[in-house]
Amino acid sequence: MAATTTTHSTGYRVRRGIRSTLKYLLMMLLAFLFLFPIWFMLVSSFKQSEMQVTSDISSLKAFIPYGDIGLQNYYDVFTQLEFGRMLFNSTFIMITTVLLGLLVNSMIAYALARLSFTGRSVVLGIIVALIIVPFEAIAVPLLLLVNNLPWFGEANTWLDTYHVQIIPFIADAFSIFLFYQFFINIPKELEEAALVDGASKLRIYWSIILPLSRPIFATVFILQALANWNRFMWPLMVTRGVDVRPLTVGMQSFFGQDPRLWGDLMAFASLITIPVLIVFLFFQRWFVLSVASTGIKG
């Protein structure tokens, strides 16, 4: 009997070891598939010879930093284009839009999840329906709208400004839905106890809901930061000069230069990608926690 138990235990450990090995091999393969384009971009950005960049594409040398390696491509990016200005524009637009969006979208979601008012189900249904509407479908009507809206200042226009790239994207249907799904799973007993103590709804939102919702705030921050950082079509439509243009539009202009230098383009792409990776690495703990908690709560 003891021998049978030992054999069964050994077989179970072997099967578990095989499953773990296969799982890690699969994870390594997926990591490689996701990371090798980024590695290729970074390696190519340091290759100062344009002939070396183009000739190495068809071989494994494209992933090996060798030969004429340096920072000349990065120097070219900063000198041939107003990269610093566009970097500031992208950062300012992204941070402002995301922070205002976190406040506005979370308050809307809190109202839908916790307050009772006429038409709440209709509003929630409209928000869910808006998630499937692509931005391309409303881009032209939105452009016509903002083109006729007045604004304070000498220009008295929305075009070629920061606010035309910020205000239309503060409220986001998908972010509201994510907040709503998280808020409805927070126990109502916490709010009821606060109401007994005389706390207002705004006080409950600020002192109870927000501290408990750090994971979903981090998740929405990452998703919205990525979406706003990579936004291209709308800035291209509403901006004319580099004063308020973000990096994505600047890269398109850089790509259209003649001759086309792939080493410089890789350096430009690297400088756009690195900030996004830093944001994700900084918030990944809360991002994973949000996904895990959502899975547990259903």
Side-chain angles (χ1 to χ4, degrees):
M1 183 70 180
T4 303
T5 304
T6 303
T7 303
H8 177 75
S9 177
T10 302
Y12 172 75
R13 287 197 298 268
V14 171
R15 290 193 299 271
R16 186 177 63 178
I18 293 175
R19 285 197 299 266
S20 298
T21 301
L22 293 175
K23 180 178 68 175
Y24 283 113
L25 288 175
L26 178 61
M27 292 171 62
M28 291 173 61
L29 176 61
L30 292 175
F32 173 77
L33 292 176
F34 281 107
L35 291 177
F36 90 87
I38 299 177
W39 178 250
F40 166 75
M41 175 185 66
L42 291 173
V43 171
S44 300
S45 69
F46 289 105
K47 295 180 179 180
Q48 300 181 140
S49 172
E50 186 68 17
M51 184 177 297
Q52 182 182 1
V53 174
T54 55
S55 63
D56 289 347
I57 293 179
S58 59
S59 66
L60 292 177
K61 293 181 180 180
F63 303 95
I64 303 174
Y66 76 100
D68 189 12
I69 299 297
L71 299 175
Q72 182 61 42
N73 295 329
Y74 290 90
Y75 177 79
D76 293 341
V77 170
F78 279 93
T79 55
Q80 296 179 16
L81 204 64
E82 294 188 40
F83 185 87
R85 178 67 186 184
M86 289 186 292
L87 176 62
F88 169 79
N89 294 340
S90 289
T91 305
F92 176 75
I93 293 169
M94 180 196 72
I95 292 178
T96 305
T97 306
V98 172
L99 292 182
L100 290 176
L102 289 176
L103 177 64
V104 172
N105 295 321
S106 63
M107 293 185 73
I108 294 173
Y110 175 71
L112 292 172
R114 287 295 193 253
L115 303 183
S116 297
F117 57 89
T118 304
R120 184 181 66 171
S121 300
V122 176
V123 174
L124 181 60
I126 293 174
I127 290 175
V128 173
L130 287 175
I131 296 176
I132 65 175
V133 178
F135 176 74
E136 290 77 7
I138 63 171
V140 174
L142 184 60
L143 178 62
L144 295 175
L145 175 64
V146 300
N147 191 40
N148 292 287
L149 287 176
W151 186 257
F152 307 101
E154 297 179 0
N156 193 31
T157 181
W158 280 54
L159 298 181
D160 217 25
T161 59
Y162 285 122
H163 52 266
V164 75
Q165 303 177 73
I166 296 174
I167 295 177
F169 302 101
I170 292 177
D172 179 73
F174 185 61
S175 298
I176 295 173
F177 182 72
L178 288 178
F179 279 121
Y180 173 82
Q181 287 293 101
F182 192 90
F183 290 163
I184 60 176
N185 289 305
I186 296 178
K188 291 185 177 181
E189 290 77 9
L190 298 174
E191 297 176 65
E192 293 172 353
L195 288 173
V196 172
D197 292 337
S200 63
K201 289 292 185 180
L202 184 60
R203 180 68 176 178
I204 293 173
Y205 164 80
W206 189 261
S207 301
I208 297 178
I209 300 299
L210 258 63
L212 294 174
S213 305
R214 292 175 182 174
I216 192 62
F217 270 85
T219 300
V220 174
F221 185 94
I222 291 175
L223 296 177
Q224 288 304 305
L226 183 61
N228 284 280
W229 185 265
N230 291 333
R231 185 165 285 116
F232 171 75
M233 187 178 71
W234 182 248
L236 183 65
M237 295 171 64
V238 299
T239 61
R240 299 295 179 267
V242 298
D243 290 341
V244 295
R245 274 190 165 177
L247 285 171
T248 48
V249 182
M251 185 175 182
Q252 189 269 345
S253 302
F254 198 72
F255 187 82
Q257 291 182 352
D258 191 31
R260 186 173 299 165
L261 302 177
W262 290 103
D264 292 353
L265 287 171
M266 294 299 176
F268 201 122
S270 299
L271 291 170
I272 295 179
T273 305
I274 290 173
V276 178
L277 293 177
I278 293 175
V279 169
F280 177 77
L281 292 175
F282 185 78
F283 286 99
Q284 68 168 336
R285 173 171 170 263
W286 296 109
F287 181 81
V288 174
L289 182 59
S290 173
V291 174
S293 61
T294 302
I296 293 174
K297 295 174 184 177

